[in-house]
Amino acid sequence: MKIINTLEEKLVPIAVWINQNNYINGIRKAFIILMPLLMIGSIFLVISVLPSAVYQDFMYNKFGPSWKRTLEIPINATFSLIAVYVAFLVAQQLGKQFKIDSIAVGLLSLASFLTLTPLKSTTTLGEVITFTWLGSKGLFVAMIIGIVVVKIFKFFVNHNILLRMPDGVPPEVTKSFEALIPGTVILSLALLLRVTMMNTDYGTIHDFIYNILALPLKSLGTSFIGSFLTVLCISLLWSVGINSGSMINGLIRPFWLENQVDNINALKEGLPLPHIITEQFFDLIWMGGAGSTLSLLLAILLFARSNHIRSVGGIGAIPGIFNINEPVLFGLPIILNPIMLIPFNIVPLVMLTTQYVAMSIGLVSKPLGVPFPWPTPALISGFITVGDISGSLMQITNLIVGALIYLPFLRILDKASKYEEDQVKIFQKEQQELE
């Protein structure tokens, strides 16, 4: 219990600060809103690249040689413009957090992002439009712009530096004119920054931020060590009852998302997938939820003898299949239980390691980058993630390994629970005999 108390003392204040931080919450909510749009784009991607020669021939003969290019239109409208959506959504969600005009700051953030983003480049063939920074590579700048725009707009609101309209003017018109002064200042600063960066070696704010800040952070966050620390943080915070998945994921998702888009672009071109670490890589691990408790449910089903533990396993089985494990976490319990917290933290790290090694040496395919809803059951999620049966086989292997790790600790709990149940039965029998 001393370890648990120490974890509570050190981790809870950090988790509370993260949950209450308006900027972190705004960014997290922006990406949550964006996820369904990316899933829609992924549907068209899957239709386009389904790995079946019969299917590909049928589509070619039915719709002609340009059928894939047609499907790329909605794919490009989603994945290739991610930074555009983020520039608006981050500012808009932060505007809601700070109770200022969320639509105005969202549009100003988008306009500032486009002001700072070069949309054209000159080649030997002439002038062509390029969308390099409108996609995943522009995410970091889009988030920073969203935050800065909100802070500047908030400064003008707090100091009442706004253009006021006479009484009787409709509220919508009043709000529009109130944004004139801060909006003019914000776009002027964006233009000034654009011109300034053009006279540096970097050329654009995108090149500067991406090379100085985003690339090192991405390299750390999407490395094996960074992934190991991510999983460890999620498990440790859950150990003291803090729902940490969405919180941690919200911080690192922008870096995963860039890898995800890189893999999708490689998939479209028929090239080898460059990255192992995407958000879907972790979806393969969290089978049953935090702690990969589907492995624990498997061990309970096969080996538990205590009525209490078997009943918890029965109640938690159906939710567990859909990655909801609160019945197990609080019914067994695992949370604040020194015995079960050991495998609860170890199992996901072992799964992470075996899965990373298997993908690194080619035994398991790399994640395609196609997002899917988090309640997707194991085995199905494995197949969707990598696009073939190797993902499902990896999950089966991890399930068995996880169950073997959970088993010794489960038996300790099971024996103690069975002993208590037997003692109750003996007591009840003695009471009946006395009566």
Side-chain angles (χ1 to χ4, degrees):
M1 290 302 293
K2 185 177 180 181
I3 296 176
I4 294 174
N5 291 335
T6 302
L7 286 175
E8 283 185 321
E9 182 183 340
K10 301 296 184 182
L11 297 179
V12 170
I14 297 173
V16 170
W17 178 83
I18 291 174
N19 276 328
Q20 293 179 347
N21 187 282
N22 287 322
Y23 294 102
I24 293 175
N25 279 329
I27 293 173
R28 184 169 61 214
K29 289 179 180 179
F31 278 93
I32 290 172
I33 293 171
L34 185 61
M35 281 301 110
L37 184 66
L38 299 184
M39 290 181 187
I40 294 169
S42 296
I43 294 172
F44 290 95
L45 176 66
V46 171
I47 295 172
S48 171
V49 300
L50 199 65
S52 167
V54 175
Y55 167 79
Q56 293 288 334
D57 290 341
F58 169 79
M59 296 295 286
Y60 182 90
N61 294 329
K62 186 72 175 176
F63 300 105
S66 62
W67 73 276
K68 282 194 175 185
R69 289 186 181 179
T70 303
L71 287 177
E72 283 182 4
I73 295 172
I75 297 171
N76 290 332
T78 51
F79 290 103
S80 297
L81 297 174
I82 285 177
V84 175
Y85 302 127
V86 168
F88 175 83
L89 287 172
V90 167
Q92 186 244 357
Q93 289 299 309
L94 288 175
K96 288 184 176 181
Q97 298 280 327
F98 291 110
K99 295 180 171 55
I100 58 179
D101 190 340
S102 60
I103 299 300
V105 293
L107 291 173
L108 284 170
S109 175
L110 176 57
S112 299
F113 176 77
L114 294 175
T115 299
L116 287 163
T117 303
L119 297 180
K120 293 183 178 181
S121 61
T122 302
T123 69
T124 54
L125 298 176
E127 202 171 68
V128 296
I129 298 176
T130 177
F131 296 100
T132 301
W133 299 112
L134 299 184
S136 59
K137 289 186 180 298
L139 280 174
F140 213 75
V141 170
M143 290 187 293
I144 293 174
I145 289 173
I147 293 170
V148 172
V149 165
V150 169
K151 288 182 74 70
I152 294 173
F153 196 96
K154 187 168 172 283
F155 172 85
F156 279 83
V157 171
N158 290 343
H159 291 80
N160 201 27
I161 310 174
L162 303 169
L163 185 60
R164 298 296 184 186
M165 299 298 291
D167 294 337
V169 176
E172 294 81 6
V173 178
T174 300
K175 288 182 71 174
S176 299
F177 276 87
E178 285 180 350
L180 278 177
I181 295 176
T184 302
V185 172
I186 288 168
L187 287 183
S188 297
L189 291 174
L191 180 59
L192 178 62
L193 180 58
R194 170 73 179 269
V195 173
T196 301
M197 293 306 301
M198 287 172 62
N199 292 287
T200 68
D201 293 336
Y202 290 99
T204 70
I205 188 65
H206 289 279
D207 285 290
F208 176 76
I209 294 293
Y210 188 79
N211 287 286
I212 299 299
L213 188 59
L215 200 56
L217 287 175
K218 177 195 168 188
S219 299
L220 175 62
T222 59
S223 66
F224 172 75
I225 297 300
S227 302
F228 191 93
L229 293 174
T230 298
V231 171
L232 180 61
C233 286
I234 290 173
S235 297
L236 286 175
L237 287 169
W238 260 115
S239 299
V240 292
I242 298 171
N243 188 338
S244 53
S246 60
M247 178 175 67
I248 301 297
N249 291 353
L251 296 174
I252 308 177
R253 183 170 284 125
F255 304 116
W256 293 339
L257 192 54
E258 184 176 340
N259 282 5
Q260 181 179 326
V261 175
D262 286 346
N263 280 10
I264 286 173
N265 289 333
L267 184 65
K268 283 164 46 182
E269 300 297 327
L271 301 172
L273 304 183
H275 303 296
I276 292 176
I277 302 300
T278 68
E279 186 165 359
Q280 294 72 44
F281 174 88
F282 297 92
D283 290 333
L284 289 188
I285 295 170
W286 301 120
M287 293 178 288
S292 307
T293 49
L294 199 59
S295 289
L296 175 59
L297 288 169
L298 178 62
I300 290 173
L301 176 66
L302 295 177
F303 299 104
R305 296 173 58 234
S306 159
N307 290 331
H308 166 68
I309 291 178
R310 289 190 68 83
S311 65
V312 170
I315 293 170
I318 300 300
I321 290 173
F322 296 97
N323 303 321
I324 300 168
N325 62 351
E326 277 77 4
V328 178
L329 294 180
F330 299 100
L332 203 59
I334 294 176
I335 302 303
L336 301 179
N337 183 333
I339 295 173
M340 295 308 297
L341 283 180
I342 297 173
F344 180 81
N345 283 272
I346 291 175
V347 167
L349 296 175
V350 172
M351 290 184 176
L352 167 79
T353 303
T354 57
Q355 189 170 294
Y356 188 89
V357 171
M359 289 183 178
S360 297
I361 62 178
L363 285 178
V364 177
S365 303
K366 295 177 182 178
L368 301 177
V370 176
F372 51 85
W374 63 266
T376 303
L379 306 190
I380 297 175
S381 62
F383 185 87
I384 295 173
T385 295
V386 305
D388 58 55
I389 197 66
S390 66
S392 301
L393 293 175
M394 183 74 254
Q395 286 188 307
I396 292 172
T397 303
N398 273 341
L399 273 174
I400 295 171
V401 171
L404 292 174
I405 296 172
Y406 267 114
L407 185 56
F409 302 91
L410 172 65
R411 284 190 165 176
I412 295 171
L413 208 64
D414 187 50
K415 285 182 180 179
S417 181
K418 186 72 168 62
Y419 176 79
E420 289 180 5
E421 290 171 1
D422 290 343
Q423 291 300 112
V424 169
K425 288 179 181 178
I426 292 171
F427 176 77
Q428 289 174 343
K429 185 176 180 181
E430 291 175 348
Q431 291 294 108
Q432 290 174 354
E433 291 175 351
L434 289 175
E435 293 174 356

